[in-house]
Amino acid sequence: MSSPSPGKRRMDTDVVKLIESKHEVTILSGLNEFVVKFFGPQGSKCSFSFLFCLTLDRRFMNKIFHPNIDEASGTVCLDVINQTWTALYDLTNIFESFLPQLLAYPNPIDPLNGDAAAMYLHRPDEYKQKIKEYIQKYATEEALKEQEEGAGDSSSESSMSDFSEDEAQDMEL
Amino acid sequence: MAKNGNDAEIDEGLYSRQLYVLGHEAMKRMQNSYVLISGMRGLGVEIAKNVILGGVKGVTVHDQGVAEWRDLSSQFYLREEDLGKNRAEVSQHRLAELNNYVPVTAYTEALTEDYLTKFQVVVLTNSTLEEQQQLGDFCHNKGISLIVADTRGLFGQLFCDFGDEMLVFDTNGEQPLSAMISMITKVSPLNLKYARHGFESGDYVTFTEVQGMTELNGCQPVEIKVLGKTICETTGFTDYIRGGIVSQVKMPKKISFVSSCLFHTLIICILTSGPQTTTPLPLKRGIVVGGGGGGSPFFKLQKRFPKIFLLEQLDEALIKKLSFVAAGDLAPVNAFIGGLAAQEVMKACTGKFMPIMQWLYFDALECLAEEEGVELTEEECAPRNCRYDGQVAVFGTKLQEMLAKQRYFLVGAGAIGCELLKNFAMIGLASGDGEVIVTDMDTIEKSNLNRQFLFRPSDVTKMKSDTAAAAVKQMNPSIRITGHQNRVGPDTERVYDDDFFESLDGVTNALDNVDARMYMDRRCVYYRKPLLESGTLGTKGNVQVVIPFLTESYSSSQDPPEKSIPICTLKNFPNAIEHTLQWARDEFEGLFKQPPENAQQFLSDPKFMERTLKLPGAQPVEVLEAVYKSLVTDCPHSWADCVAWARNHWQCQYSNNIRQLLHNFPPDQVQTDSGAPFWSGPKRCPHPLEFSTSNELHMDYVVAGANLFAQSYGMPGSTDRAGVIKILQDVKVPPFTPRSGVKIHVSDQELQNSNSSVDDCRLEELKVQLPSPETSNFKLNAIDFEKDDDTNFHMDFIVASSNLRAENYDIPPTDRHKSKLIAGKIIPAIATTTSAVVGLVCLELIKIVRGHKKLESFKNGFMNLALPFFAFSEPIAAPSHKVGRRWSCLDVSKKKLGKHVKALVFELCCNDLSDEDVEVPYVRYTIR
């Protein structure tokens, strides 16, 4: 870690800002990869966790049924998400406006998940029912907690990643 | 020896990267041209090297002179034991090794007009003015292309005459543009309305897929003027409905050259690396005189002076400088002019790219002392019968001593690396107490040989750094050079640690990717070492010099990020071959790389299960499902199973999935809000394919897919098509019915019950069903994509799967060659550009070693040999900040530090009073 770069520093500043904001941020490796927990569109009472990685591995960790989100991988078809980070946009914007907006207003004209888009267009009632089901199953506080606990149960020994001990202690910031 | 000729096939393995610059047509024309290169001193050998690597029909090198000490400062194929031998004869066999397809002969008699008629292109270097004029007239009249190239110390010149009438087939080397049409108005004149199309006035275009106004489809190329002027009359045409693609058509351009006897009255193309002053004009005259006098000292120049300079005002000071350096011979200047001249030879043979019309001048006077009036004494520059005489004549002996002591780190021994090493050897870098450390973790491949000229076919698979180091030691045995095989990065900071960097005088990058460049830049900024950065892309090249505290760093400026293809375009709506190729690459990874990798981890890594179960969300089930699929459901037991798998995957991708998409969005679907068809604009409506064993492409896919699938299970494959067809007759392909929806839970109760339990159940099920790793005795191989091996089925699979998908969407298919370029993300490359770029890098190196301090002494360079275009600019000054220094407390992690770490760097995030970010430098805290 001897030779810092200016771009990386701007990115780090952004991450720190994100941590200072109301979002729950879990750092995975350095400041290069982290998971952000953010709330769904206003009044939806659901929350999502999103993996954001400098190397463009960016996706929802919850399973989501949505015309613009791939159900299996959680990848999002939204240009600002899938480009190399530049100083042009602020990370907080992604979690406070871009992603919640997309969740509230899908674009079925350029779908990634064709089944979801077709249902959204042709059978809106079914679609509503379907996302209600998904939210309850994968995106409520309880569901997220359950997942975390489930993960905690399976083993007490830490082998999942290569964090050093002190880093792991500080994981929840 | 293999021969080039009319019917000769192009060796795509060898010429791969160059073919992406020139194209097959131009390569074929080049393979039919004989080239004469006269003068085998430093410049001549550089041109010959590049032309031979390029692959012409034959090259004759001509020289009547013998090797002298002063030649050794730039003629890399002459050695000290060759002194007194004919330069052409000595060079001939070393040049001939460069390319088996190009016969090289030496000619040592006087050049007669009759002799020249054998050649399509004649290059004169080190020639007299009289010779240039006499042979120039003859060549012009006989339709032989002539290039006159010359260098005198820090000056260089180039002259081209390709005849009265020449057809240029491609004036810029750019891909033809195309754009989608959103509207065509039916007026006279026709108006095309589209945003940011990139077309320029004078471009020719044609149309395809226009609905309604079908008269436009496939029309003769029409010239356009941007901003809505007449393109063609459309009033009589049918009404435009929608759609259509407008594509640029490259039209041949006719150009004409003036004979060389007129050249001293022509000023057409002028280049100087200096500031935009009036220097070029007298400079040209100076060179003409120099050419006439043959490396003339000042008095000789004076004598000829009145004969030629009749009209123009002369810059006395400049002529004086010229006269001082003219006796010299510098490898970097020869590399630059030699690269350009060789590209002109290729233009003359092929009509590919715009020639230099007709003069080009170059000087690098900033390499001289920065202070005015500092002149070297005659004593300092006098020849002393050593290999650096040509360089000492320009810079004196003191610089030579400084060069010998330099410790330089060269990162990369590819195309740029090889050229740099050659220049290092010639200028005598690290020829005394110094050292050049070159690192490259790659081995030599066949496609490298076309431009990485230190490598021979017998070196293929050897390490680049070692081979290159050994090769340049032949050129100059006194150069001290060490080869490493390390990739630069955090992993090798134990090798390239504080002591290593602190001992360096500078770093030269010869890298092929931006990440490594940025990394080296950070290291150099941190250790305050000068960095020379360069890169090429086809005929384009750039040079950037980074001097601590003087210029901005490499990372200070950044190119805009590459445009990535939206995921939904890849998955559902491809409209260009780039999209189907990327999709095919993703298929490759998703079929032959990741699944075997995961399955193998499951089998061999006892902690895999534990790790997987901890993944968030539905991932554990998905990963284990995939492992189950690899090990149980899909696991083949015979070659027939592999064929069946490939056949069924074909069905799924090119029929079932398309039918599902059309089920969700029927071809006539209309958008609810706008009323426009769903399938319109960039969204092309697909159609499913019907499998047929008599369709070559379908069979290509099955054979390649089945072989790769077999490989991933370590099973033998087969290329017996008849056998595959036989197997296919018995393959059962399940019928497909589109899904009409996903299961919807009717009541809340039902929903409650379904919550999370489903996934959990399946997970438990999988844990039981998966075979136990201990009892499984087979091994899976993850296949890493390798584009350059034509026998491994990788490109076969990519080409077939991309073109099948293209057929689904009515996108024109692409051949293997172009598919490889796009899917393999190949960077087109040609020896000429590398040579020229590296020449400029080494001129900057000389300035750094001399200790130049002024910003205006350094030059960043940009070029595109195809246009041709050259520009030099002063580097941007390093930013300077004033920051208060007061902070309270630092929180330091308890992470253990390696022994090589001697300092800690603290990044600071600062806000000013109005909460705006403030950029501050890092703080370095030295701990030992």
Side-chain angles (χ1 to χ4, degrees):
Chain A
M1 287 286 287
S2 55
S3 329
S5 78
K8 175 75 172 59
R9 187 163 57 224
R10 227 338 276 278
M11 177 82 197
D12 291 351
T13 318
D14 253 27
V15 179
V16 172
K17 251 197 236 162
L18 197 66
I19 294 168
E20 285 168 354
S21 70
K22 61 185 183 210
H23 303 288
E24 201 175 285
V25 181
T26 311
I27 307 288
L28 293 184
S29 75
L31 290 181
N32 294 336
E33 197 180 350
F34 47 90
V35 176
V36 181
K37 205 160 144 190
F38 69 99
F39 296 101
Q42 274 190 338
S44 67
K45 280 205 290 189
C46 51
S47 57
F48 300 91
S49 53
F50 192 85
L51 176 86
F52 195 95
C53 182
L54 270 188
T55 55
L56 291 182
D57 181 11
R58 295 167 193 178
R59 55 198 154 85
F60 278 98
M61 313 280 279
N62 329 48
K63 210 176 168 108
I64 295 179
F65 188 74
H66 185 284
N68 308 106
I69 300 170
D70 185 62
E71 200 179 333
S73 65
T75 44
V76 191
C77 198
L78 182 66
D79 52 0
V80 288
I81 302 290
N82 296 307
Q83 52 187 231
T84 321
W85 182 89
T86 71
L88 293 178
Y89 63 86
D90 201 317
L91 270 182
T92 43
N93 280 342
I94 289 187
F95 300 102
E96 274 164 26
S97 46
F98 296 147
L99 289 178
Q101 281 279 327
L102 185 77
L103 289 170
Y105 306 102
N107 167 17
I109 303 306
D110 297 299
L112 181 59
N113 181 343
D115 293 341
M119 195 189 272
Y120 178 84
L121 284 173
H122 308 310
R123 304 185 298 279
D125 290 338
E126 278 181 44
Y127 177 80
K128 269 182 207 145
Q129 184 65 28
K130 183 82 191 164
I131 55 166
K132 196 171 157 195
E133 179 187 323
Y134 265 64
I135 286 173
Q136 214 165 86
K137 204 165 152 189
Y138 302 110
T140 53
E141 281 293 335
E142 294 80 54
L144 284 178
K145 206 167 274 168
E146 212 168 276
Q147 257 175 34
E148 279 161 27
E149 280 164 10
D153 289 345
S154 55
S155 152
S156 54
E157 209 183 318
S158 164
S159 62
M160 146 98 187
S161 69
D162 49 5
F163 311 142
S164 67
E165 270 176 33
D166 44 310
E167 266 173 332
Q169 276 168 18
D170 295 332
M171 257 172 58
E172 289 276 328
L173 287 160
Chain B
M1 179 186 284
K3 289 267 161 55
N4 285 337
N6 283 326
D7 309 315
E9 283 289 304
I10 297 171
D11 184 343
E12 291 198 2
L14 176 67
Y15 293 120
S16 162
R17 306 308 188 254
Q18 179 179 303
L19 273 166
Y20 292 119
V21 182
L22 297 176
H24 283 78
E25 275 306 298
M27 268 303 289
K28 284 202 175 117
R29 283 194 285 266
M30 205 150 84
Q31 288 186 344
N32 285 314
S33 306
Y34 283 108
V35 180
L36 172 77
I37 297 161
S38 169
M40 272 303 110
R41 301 192 62 210
L43 177 60
V45 79
E46 180 69 46
I47 299 171
K49 176 205 87 188
N50 294 331
V51 169
I52 292 164
L53 288 173
V56 292
K57 186 161 190 163
V59 168
T60 299
V61 293
H62 166 254
D63 205 319
Q64 291 181 275
V66 296
E68 304 166 39
W69 277 112
R70 62 182 183 133
D71 296 326
L72 295 189
S73 63
S74 70
Q75 220 287 19
F76 47 86
Y77 282 154
L78 294 182
R79 297 172 193 169
E80 293 184 20
E81 65 262 29
D82 300 324
L83 290 169
K85 295 183 195 160
N86 178 283
R87 287 187 288 243
E89 280 176 345
V90 176
S91 310
Q92 180 267 330
H93 71 270
R94 289 175 194 149
L95 285 167
E97 288 177 2
L98 287 169
N99 190 339
N100 276 338
Y101 292 100
V102 182
V104 181
T105 47
Y107 181 68
T108 55
E109 306 292 315
L111 287 182
T112 59
E113 293 187 346
D114 188 41
Y115 186 74
L116 295 189
T117 53
K118 290 168 41 179
F119 300 97
Q120 279 75 48
V121 186
V122 169
V123 184
L124 300 179
T125 72
N126 201 33
S127 56
T128 64
L129 189 60
E130 290 75 16
E131 195 176 27
Q132 290 167 17
Q133 286 185 335
Q134 183 218 330
L135 297 179
D137 281 346
F138 175 79
C139 288
H140 189 88
N141 296 332
K142 288 281 176 195
I144 301 168
S145 297
L146 174 77
I147 294 161
V148 180
D150 240 319
T151 58
R152 301 276 175 231
L154 289 163
F155 295 82
Q157 70 160 8
L158 204 51
F159 167 82
C160 299
D161 173 4
F162 301 160
D164 287 328
E165 203 168 276
M166 184 204 190
L167 271 187
V168 179
F169 298 100
D170 176 1
T171 55
N172 59 15
E174 300 296 327
Q175 286 290 322
L177 296 166
S178 77
M180 243 170 272
I181 300 168
S182 62
M183 184 63 202
I184 303 177
T185 53
K186 193 177 171 185
V187 287
S188 178
L190 161 65
N191 232 328
L192 284 171
K193 237 166 68 180
Y194 31 70
R196 288 182 298 149
H197 47 66
F199 291 104
E200 286 175 22
S201 296
D203 288 348
Y204 282 77
V205 297
T206 187
F207 301 86
T208 45
E209 296 185 25
V210 175
Q211 293 178 42
M213 200 182 277
T214 49
E215 293 87 344
L216 284 174
N217 291 331
C219 68
Q220 283 299 307
V222 283
E223 190 177 351
I224 55 164
K225 279 185 188 153
V226 174
L227 288 178
K229 298 280 182 212
T230 314
I231 293 176
C232 60
E233 184 70 29
T234 60
T235 36
F237 288 1
T238 330
D239 285 339
Y240 175 76
I241 299 175
R242 77 176 68 85
I245 293 168
V246 53
S247 319
Q248 188 182 4
V249 181
K250 293 216 168 191
M251 303 295 276
K253 187 174 172 155
K254 211 180 273 181
I255 54 172
S256 120
F257 292 82
V258 183
S259 170
S260 67
C261 68
L262 301 168
F263 67 73
H264 55 275
T265 59
L266 290 171
I267 308 151
I268 295 165
C269 178
I270 288 166
L271 164 69
T272 167
S273 76
Q276 300 302 311
T277 63
T278 55
T279 52
L281 193 58
L283 180 60
K284 182 190 75 161
R285 303 309 184 198
I287 289 279
V288 173
V289 175
S296 51
F298 192 36
F299 69 90
K300 219 171 174 180
L301 182 81
Q302 288 283 39
K303 214 164 63 185
R304 283 187 161 269
F305 208 95
K307 266 174 75 180
I308 296 166
F309 298 107
L310 298 172
L311 300 171
E312 282 92 1
Q313 280 284 312
L314 282 169
D315 181 337
E316 287 284 346
L318 192 76
I319 293 297
K320 200 166 159 192
K321 275 184 184 161
L322 169 61
S323 68
F324 273 118
V325 303
D329 189 33
L330 301 176
V333 175
N334 285 336
F336 179 69
I337 297 292
L340 266 51
Q343 189 70 57
E344 294 308 306
V345 171
M346 295 180 190
K347 291 177 188 175
C349 301
T350 63
K352 182 91 180 174
F353 308 144
M354 199 64 185
I356 288 171
M357 298 291 290
Q358 291 179 247
W359 274 107
L360 179 137
Y361 299 90
F362 172 77
D363 76 72
L365 287 169
E366 310 84 22
C367 290
L368 293 174
E370 281 184 316
E371 305 80 28
E372 277 301 316
V374 180
E375 276 169 24
L376 293 164
T377 63
E378 209 179 309
E379 165 63 23
E380 274 176 296
C381 301
R384 51 207 68 205
N385 290 348
C386 82
R387 64 174 308 133
Y388 308 115
D389 276 359
Q391 190 163 281
V392 168
V394 180
F395 297 121
T397 48
K398 205 169 140 233
L399 178 72
Q400 214 52 55
E401 286 159 21
M402 285 155 77
L403 282 168
K405 285 193 295 208
Q406 295 295 306
R407 262 184 78 81
Y408 256 79
F409 187 27
L410 169 57
V411 192
I416 290 180
C418 282
E419 290 288 333
L420 277 167
L421 284 171
K422 170 198 75 185
N423 278 280
F424 288 176
M426 290 297 105
I427 65 177
L429 190 81
S431 57
D433 298 335
E435 188 182 12
V436 171
I437 300 100
V438 53
T439 189
D440 197 316
M441 65 287 179
D442 282 341
T443 53
I444 298 161
E445 291 170 31
K446 189 184 176 190
S447 68
N448 300 150
L449 304 177
N450 172 237
R451 65 198 180 287
Q452 302 178 15
F453 83 109
L454 298 176
F455 309 141
R456 300 287 164 267
S458 58
D459 296 327
V460 169
T461 72
K462 289 185 191 162
M463 294 308 300
K464 283 188 177 180
S465 55
D466 295 339
T467 313
V472 288
K473 273 221 159 250
Q474 298 270 315
M475 292 179 177
N476 180 356
S478 58
I479 182 171
R480 294 187 19 163
I481 177 165
T482 312
H484 289 183
Q485 282 85 44
N486 301 317
R487 180 193 299 270
V488 290
D491 294 344
T492 52
E493 284 179 14
R494 277 162 211 279
V495 184
Y496 305 123
D497 57 6
D498 291 359
D499 291 339
F500 176 82
F501 269 94
E502 276 155 16
S503 74
L504 293 177
D505 291 293
V507 176
T508 40
N509 273 353
L511 288 159
D512 60 358
N513 67 84
V514 173
D515 286 343
R517 285 183 166 103
M518 303 233 280
Y519 173 78
M520 283 315 294
D521 181 59
R522 291 206 295 280
R523 298 293 275 171
C524 288
V525 169
Y526 181 77
Y527 292 107
R528 301 159 187 197
K529 298 296 173 188
L531 170 69
L532 286 161
E533 161 56 41
S534 56
T536 71
L537 172 66
T539 56
K540 297 172 196 159
N542 80 298
V543 176
Q544 186 181 359
V545 49
V546 181
I547 311 285
F549 308 110
L550 186 66
T551 71
E552 66 168 17
S553 74
Y554 172 77
S555 309
S556 306
S557 61
Q558 268 178 28
D559 290 335
E562 224 175 283
K563 260 199 183 154
S564 60
I565 307 168
I567 311 168
C568 53
T569 303
L570 286 178
K571 196 175 173 203
N572 297 325
F573 312 113
N575 60 54
I577 204 72
E578 284 77 8
H579 305 154
T580 63
L581 279 165
Q582 180 63 52
W583 180 88
R585 269 295 279 123
D586 293 347
E587 275 275 285
F588 188 97
E589 295 292 302
L591 294 173
F592 310 121
K593 175 118 204 291
Q594 277 143 18
E597 202 164 75
N598 274 346
Q600 187 54 35
Q601 272 187 21
F602 168 80
L603 292 178
S604 59
D605 181 354
K607 291 209 166 150
F608 175 80
M609 192 55 129
E610 194 182 297
R611 228 171 31 230
T612 306
L613 290 174
K614 278 196 195 162
L615 293 172
Q619 284 184 50
V621 186
E622 273 153 26
V623 172
L624 292 184
E625 283 282 14
V627 172
Y628 184 72
K629 197 163 172 261
S630 296
L631 294 178
V632 183
T633 347
D634 282 356
C635 183
H637 302 285
S638 63
W639 169 239
D641 284 353
C642 297
V643 174
W645 173 87
R647 170 67 185 90
N648 274 304
H649 195 67
W650 188 101
Q651 193 67 21
C652 174
Q653 295 297 36
Y654 305 110
S655 175
N656 299 355
N657 285 354
I658 300 293
R659 284 162 67 192
Q660 177 67 42
L661 191 59
L662 288 172
H663 171 81
N664 285 336
F665 305 102
D668 53 4
Q669 163 120 23
V670 173
Q671 285 174 31
T672 35
D673 50 349
S674 63
F678 177 86
W679 295 103
S680 64
K683 293 206 288 284
R684 301 170 70 86
C685 187
H687 65 272
L689 306 181
E690 281 299 325
F691 187 83
S692 158
T693 49
S694 54
N695 184 314
E696 278 294 304
L697 187 60
H698 298 186
M699 288 303 292
D700 286 350
Y701 181 90
V702 171
V703 171
N707 270 288
L708 286 167
F709 195 63
Q711 270 176 37
S712 69
Y713 285 91
M715 289 169 54
S718 161
T719 50
D720 167 22
R721 291 210 169 201
V724 171
I725 291 177
K726 220 166 156 220
I727 296 169
L728 282 172
Q729 283 160 357
D730 298 328
V731 173
K732 286 194 183 55
V733 180
F736 175 75
T737 335
R739 307 179 293 274
S740 30
V742 201
K743 183 170 164 43
I744 307 291
H745 299 284
V746 196
S747 67
D748 277 4
Q749 186 56 44
E750 202 183 306
L751 178 61
Q752 283 295 331
N753 294 342
S754 79
N755 267 1
S756 66
S757 55
V758 181
D759 284 355
D760 287 353
C761 288
R762 180 65 190 139
L763 196 61
E764 290 310 315
E765 236 174 76
L766 277 169
K767 280 198 227 171
V768 179
Q769 284 175 346
L770 276 167
S772 129
E774 291 80 33
T775 56
S776 311
N777 53 0
F778 67 103
K779 192 172 173 292
L780 283 91
N781 313 305
I783 304 180
D784 287 310
F785 179 63
E786 167 51 59
K787 57 190 180 291
D788 279 324
D789 177 352
D790 282 338
T791 62
N792 65 6
F793 298 103
H794 297 192
M795 275 311 297
D796 302 83
F797 180 80
I798 298 287
V799 175
S801 58
S802 161
N803 281 342
L804 283 166
R805 187 161 171 86
E807 196 182 329
N808 277 142
Y809 286 88
D810 289 313
I811 298 166
T814 295
D815 62 16
R816 187 188 183 91
H817 179 69
K818 194 176 174 199
S819 300
K820 188 167 135 180
L821 172 73
I822 300 167
K825 296 194 162 63
I826 290 178
I827 298 174
I830 188 163
T832 49
T833 316
T834 318
S835 208
V837 159
V838 169
L840 297 180
V841 171
C842 290
L843 289 170
E844 298 308 308
L845 174 75
I846 288 173
K847 295 172 194 174
I848 294 173
V849 174
R850 293 198 70 153
H852 278 17
K853 302 245 163 12
K854 294 180 185 162
L855 197 61
E856 61 265 31
S857 300
F858 294 97
K859 295 286 176 252
N860 289 340
F862 308 89
M863 63 177 87
N864 185 349
L865 304 189
L867 294 175
F869 166 84
F870 306 91
F872 295 92
S873 73
E874 208 171 274
I876 294 171
S880 70
H881 299 290
K882 207 169 182 178
V883 185
R885 24 168 94 209
R886 223 173 23 165
W887 57 79
S888 47
C889 150
L890 292 166
D891 216 356
V892 185
S893 104
K894 286 175 225 125
K895 194 175 156 186
K896 289 218 170 62
L897 297 169
K899 279 219 170 81
H900 64 289
V901 178
K902 289 183 176 174
L904 294 175
V905 169
F906 298 105
E907 298 268 7
L908 306 176
C909 298
C910 299
N911 293 359
D912 64 12
L913 293 174
S914 56
D915 220 28
E916 289 292 314
D917 291 342
V918 182
E919 284 269 320
V920 291
Y922 58 82
V923 173
R924 182 166 66 165
Y925 183 70
T926 312
I927 52 171
R928 46 181 161 234

